[in-house]
Amino acid sequence: MISKFKEVITGKSSHKPVFGAREILKYLGPGLLVTVGFIDPGNWASNIVAGSKYGYTLLWMVTLSTIMLIILQHNVAHLGIVTGDCLAESTMKNIRPAIARPILATGILAVISTALAEILGGAIALELLFGIPIRIGSIIILVVVIFLLFSNTYTKLEKLIIGFVSIIGFSFLYEISIVTVDWPSALKSWVTVSIPHGSMTIVMAVLGAVVMPHNLFLHSEIIQSRQWNKEDEAVIKKQLKFEFTDTIISMIIGWAINSTMIILAATTFFKNNTNVTELAQAQSLLKPMLGTNAAIIFGIALLFSGISSTITAGMAGGTIFAGLYKEPYDIKDSHTKIGVSLILIIATVIIFLISDPFKGLVYSQMILSIQLPITVFLQIYLTSSKRIMGRHRNSILHNIVLLTIGSVLAILNIMLFKSFI
């Protein structure tokens, strides 16, 4: 109930957080909602391809992407905490509409691309587990997600997502426990940059699957919806500390799960010279290699990944669409409802037009990486402004780091385009 959260922001609450374990637990949640976005089915496709074709070699990209993600998510969360506006709202309020609307339009396209991968992943899981055709499965995932979004508050959805993330995490913990991992090679690959010939598309897919533009919009919205005493400088500083703790914990969980996907693919498929071209193939190959239980757990984890990440994609889409009207996300408001429904339905329709679902997953992540620099430079502009952020604007050092990340993302995109020429 965002309207109630907004009332709290006005300062009517006397809540004064203390930096303790019990208090920290109250703030955990926003980061995990973001984490779901980068352990979605698109990540599964990118990571399985990366591991099956290049072994442990591309693990460094998960590390680099996660470091970038922590910095970017922490920065955009500051915008929500300090201003009480999410990224989309702040864009419309502080940038000329002729520029702001096209920027947010690219964000909506990115969310559609994200939702496509997530609905498709859930549908593939239904096919693997129950034999349901992918197109029918896509409709089932769409209906389930819209029902969950329209009938639950942020708080209930956070609890649901935490449960889903736990299931996914324990599933991969089981999978990794039954394979033989070359840990020295894995450790080296986590910190050694290497771009094998022909791997640029997969490198960009891994990047786009971890550092996702819709998560930047989503995090700024979720975090500002639970503020207290915004006019109290001491409370704001406490909130920033709590947010950073939440972000670090959540991103490390996501890094571990993504790394595990690549390691699992490397130890099963790459080791046996098997090039995986679709998720269904990955599950079927796990049966003779790791047993029936491993294959079933793979499908269950994929299903929960698809549902939970589609929920967050819908929330991100509603956030951006409502932001076009300078409004916060509120599932009872018509603009939010239209945004959520429109984006998820368009994504589902596109699935009906895709001939190769697995390639659709991989290329959807590549599209995200192309849009990403736009969102990154947008948030740098907003969080660097003294007029918008006051004393909490980015320091010179922060801007150097953020601009470096934005430049790296832009350079990687140029390299991607060159690889197609």
Side-chain angles (χ1 to χ4, degrees):
M1 301 290 291
I2 302 302
S3 59
K4 292 184 179 179
F5 281 121
K6 289 291 187 179
E7 290 176 7
V8 175
I9 292 172
T10 62
K12 294 178 181 179
S13 169
S14 59
H15 178 79
K16 292 181 180 290
V18 178
F19 201 73
R22 178 180 292 184
E23 193 69 23
I24 290 173
L25 290 175
K26 295 179 181 179
Y27 283 77
L28 294 179
L32 286 173
L33 283 175
V34 173
T35 298
V36 163
F38 75 102
I39 56 173
D40 72 338
N43 292 69
W44 288 53
S46 302
N47 291 331
I48 288 174
V49 171
S52 66
K53 290 187 70 172
Y54 304 106
Y56 303 115
T57 306
L58 297 183
L59 278 172
W60 68 271
M61 198 62 206
V62 178
T63 301
L64 177 62
S65 299
T66 304
I67 292 172
M68 288 182 176
L69 185 65
I70 290 171
I71 295 170
L72 292 172
Q73 296 292 163
H74 183 52
N75 178 249
V76 82
H78 276 205
L79 178 70
I81 290 172
V82 174
T83 68
D85 292 327
C86 69
L87 183 57
E89 286 179 274
S90 185
T91 299
M92 289 302 299
K93 291 179 180 180
N94 297 291
I95 297 177
R96 285 185 299 170
I99 298 175
R101 289 194 181 99
I103 290 175
L104 294 183
T106 66
I108 289 175
L109 291 176
V111 178
I112 291 173
S113 180
T114 301
L116 182 153
E118 290 156 351
I119 294 172
L120 187 54
I124 291 173
L126 289 176
E127 183 183 47
L128 296 177
L129 293 169
F130 308 109
I132 299 173
I134 286 179
R135 290 175 178 173
I136 296 177
S138 298
I139 295 175
I140 293 173
I141 297 296
L142 172 67
V143 172
V144 168
V145 169
I146 287 182
F147 170 77
L148 291 173
L149 282 169
F150 281 30
S151 61
N152 288 282
T153 61
Y154 264 144
T155 303
K156 291 181 180 179
L157 287 174
E158 281 182 5
K159 292 178 181 178
L160 184 68
I161 294 300
I162 289 172
F164 284 174
V165 171
S166 299
I167 292 171
I168 297 167
F170 283 119
S171 296
F172 276 105
L173 188 62
Y174 169 78
E175 302 270 8
I176 204 72
S177 70
I178 58 177
V179 298
T180 302
V181 180
D182 183 355
W183 288 111
S185 295
L187 290 170
K188 181 181 178 181
S189 297
W190 266 314
V191 295
T192 304
V193 176
S194 175
I195 304 178
H197 178 72
S199 67
M200 195 61 212
T201 300
I202 301 303
V203 167
M204 290 300 292
V206 172
L207 174 65
V210 174
V211 188
M212 308 175 81
H214 81 287
N215 272 341
L216 297 172
F217 286 98
L218 179 63
H219 200 177
S220 63
E221 170 60 46
I222 299 170
I223 202 73
Q224 63 83 22
S225 73
R226 48 162 63 194
Q227 292 181 61
W228 289 279
N229 295 345
K230 195 182 75 174
E231 76 283 356
D232 189 329
E233 186 65 25
V235 172
I236 290 178
K237 289 181 179 179
K238 286 286 187 182
Q239 287 177 318
L240 296 177
K241 290 180 181 179
F242 284 125
E243 175 276 320
F244 187 63
T245 301
D246 176 47
T247 297
I248 287 289
I249 293 173
S250 301
M251 300 307 105
I252 289 176
I253 291 172
W255 169 83
I257 293 176
N258 275 288
S259 296
T260 301
M261 291 181 195
I262 292 180
I263 291 172
L264 184 64
T267 54
T268 52
F269 307 132
F270 180 77
K271 184 178 179 180
N272 293 286
N273 297 314
T274 302
N275 185 20
V276 178
T277 57
E278 57 183 65
L279 290 176
Q281 180 191 11
Q283 194 218 34
S284 64
L285 289 171
L286 284 175
K287 288 183 180 179
M289 294 179 181
L290 303 180
T292 302
N293 287 342
I296 293 174
I297 289 173
F298 178 92
I300 292 172
L302 179 60
L303 178 60
F304 281 107
S305 172
I307 293 174
S308 57
S309 57
T310 305
I311 289 173
T312 59
M315 293 170 68
T319 293
I320 299 174
F321 196 84
L324 285 168
Y325 298 90
K326 301 180 181 180
E327 297 173 355
Y329 177 98
D330 184 350
I331 201 58
K332 290 191 172 183
D333 181 76
S334 60
H335 291 140
T336 300
K337 285 183 178 178
I338 291 171
V340 169
S341 303
L342 190 64
I343 285 167
L344 295 181
I345 290 172
I346 290 175
T348 304
V349 169
I350 294 175
I351 290 173
F352 277 73
L353 306 176
I354 294 176
S355 59
D356 188 333
F358 191 74
K359 284 186 178 179
L361 284 173
V362 174
Y363 282 100
S364 70
Q365 304 309 294
M366 193 176 68
I367 291 172
L368 296 183
S369 72
I370 294 173
Q371 196 281 337
L372 186 57
I374 298 174
T375 301
V376 170
F377 286 116
L378 168 65
Q379 80 171 62
I380 293 173
Y381 170 78
L382 294 173
T383 56
S384 299
S385 172
K386 184 176 181 179
R387 175 177 59 85
I388 299 170
M389 298 291 289
R391 69 177 66 183
H392 295 285
R393 71 184 186 278
N394 297 335
S395 66
I396 294 176
L397 178 59
H398 284 152
N399 271 337
I400 290 174
V401 173
L402 290 166
L403 288 170
T404 299
I405 291 174
S407 299
V408 168
L409 294 172
I411 291 170
L412 286 173
N413 274 298
I414 293 172
M415 292 174 65
L416 173 64
F417 284 122
K418 285 185 176 180
S419 70
F420 282 103
I421 297 176

